[in-house]
Amino acid sequence: MNLPELAAFLKTRRDRIRPDDVGLPAGPRRRVSGLRREEVAQLAGLSADYYTELERGRGAQPSAQALGALARALRLTTDERDHLFHLADRPVPGTAHGFAGQAQPALLGLLDRLTTTPAQVITDLHETLVQNEGAAALIGRPPAVRGAARSYVHRWFTDPDARGLYPPEDHPHHSRVFVSDLQAVAARRGKDAEVARMVAELRRRSEEFATLWSAHDVALRRTDHKRIVHPQLGVIELDCHSLFSEDGRQRLLWFTAPPGTKGAEQLELLSVIGTQDMTARENAARRG
């Protein structure tokens, strides 16, 4: 591991990011043009002391998870992320998938600007890569799991608790939408082992999935009208929109409601409530 080069690289990447690029207030007494060390640590979910040690060229070898979090916090390009992993002497992760999956910079840049709109970046297999606070308050944070269970589609058909996000009467609609979307993804990816394993497992474990898959309905989910069950605000009716990356492997999702509707009022209230008192939703997400 090249600690001095790793430290220098982290500092230069930190210096180039302005606070408003990542949704942080600049403040009148800021003495640095880029982010502060503690701000990078906060964005990456690391302790400030741990990150400071890395920038000083000291400390233990960072894990792949910590490196992935730093790559997202510092808005690194794919080449820069790979360089970061090389400096830390860690295997370079895949470009779009796996536990250390990184949101593509273009989608991440848009997400940073959706400060008042619930939004998140997911993979084409519905694995959450990063979300803003609005999305966390609306639908909860994703569970800290590995493997196929990172996919919400996988959890939808294998864990009943994962369906608590939507009213029971809406479940058949979401099942059809998920399967039609996965059909399109499987066709686009071709002979992809990851998709093949997921489809085979879901056909084996879920009779509902097997029946829908055999219908061969195909449709990427670009927009959808949803009713989301919130533990404090009740059922919230929203429109969900998707913006696809150029290669189709990632999507930016955001939630809106027409002005003057109850859903718009609930989103306004949600921005005030934030993620306070979200224990019930967090527990449900972990089970899901």
Side-chain angles (χ1 to χ4, degrees), residues 145-156:
V145 294
R146 296 175 182 266
R150 282 175 52 83
S151 165
Y152 186 61
V153 174
H154 183 279
R155 299 196 303 274
W156 179 265

Side-chain angles (χ1 to χ4, degrees), residues 154-164 205 284-288:
H154 183 279
R155 299 196 303 274
W156 179 265
F157 288 103
T158 59
D159 188 342
D161 287 335
R163 299 193 175 199
R205 295 181 60 179
R286 292 189 185 98
R287 291 195 301 270

Side-chain angles (χ1 to χ4, degrees), residues 129-145:
L129 297 178
V130 62
Q131 61 183 181
N132 63 17
E133 289 302 307
L138 178 65
I139 62 177
R141 300 189 188 279
V145 294

Side-chain angles (χ1 to χ4, degrees), residues 51-95:
Y51 179 75
T52 298
E53 287 295 292
L54 285 180
E55 263 207 24
R56 289 175 176 171
R58 300 198 293 262
Q61 181 186 30
S63 67
Q65 290 81 5
L67 293 171
L70 286 171
R72 291 189 291 271
L74 293 169
R75 305 308 190 248
L76 302 187
T77 66
T78 300
D79 289 338
E80 289 172 333
R81 181 208 59 181
D82 292 352
H83 183 63
L84 178 67
F85 274 75
H86 285 308
L87 291 175
D89 198 22
R90 292 288 187 188
V92 175
T95 57

Side-chain angles (χ1 to χ4, degrees), residues 104 106-107 110 121-126 181 184-185 188 219-223 241-254:
Q104 295 185 13
L107 298 184
L110 289 173
V121 177
I122 68 171
T123 70
D124 56 356
L125 295 183
H126 295 258
D181 185 85
V185 170
R188 191 194 68 245
L220 285 173
R221 188 182 70 174
R222 293 181 172 86
T223 61
H241 308 276
S242 300
L243 177 65
F244 292 73
S245 63
E246 186 176 357
D247 62 5
R249 291 206 166 203
Q250 293 186 13
R251 309 170 185 184
L252 172 65
L253 303 184
W254 70 98

Side-chain angles (χ1 to χ4, degrees), residues 195-233:
V195 177
R197 284 194 301 270
M198 177 179 291
V199 171
E201 181 180 357
L202 292 180
R203 293 182 72 177
R204 176 175 54 84
R205 295 181 60 179
S206 170
E207 182 178 350
E208 180 190 22
F209 179 88
T211 300
L212 291 170
W213 188 261
S214 64
H216 294 282
D217 292 331
V218 180
L220 285 173
R221 188 182 70 174
R222 293 181 172 86
T223 61
D224 200 2
H225 186 75
K226 295 187 174 187
R227 297 195 303 158
I228 294 176
V229 180
H230 189 273
Q232 294 169 281
L233 302 179

Side-chain angles (χ1 to χ4, degrees), residues 111 114-121 131-139 228 236 238-241 252-257 263 266-268 270-271:
L111 178 67
L114 294 175
T115 56
T116 60
T117 302
Q120 61 183 10
V121 177
Q131 61 183 181
N132 63 17
E133 289 302 307
L138 178 65
I139 62 177
I228 294 176
I236 308 176
L238 299 170
D239 294 317
C240 178
H241 308 276
L252 172 65
L253 303 184
W254 70 98
F255 301 86
T256 63
Q266 288 170 306
L267 280 184
E268 187 85 18
L270 186 68
S271 66

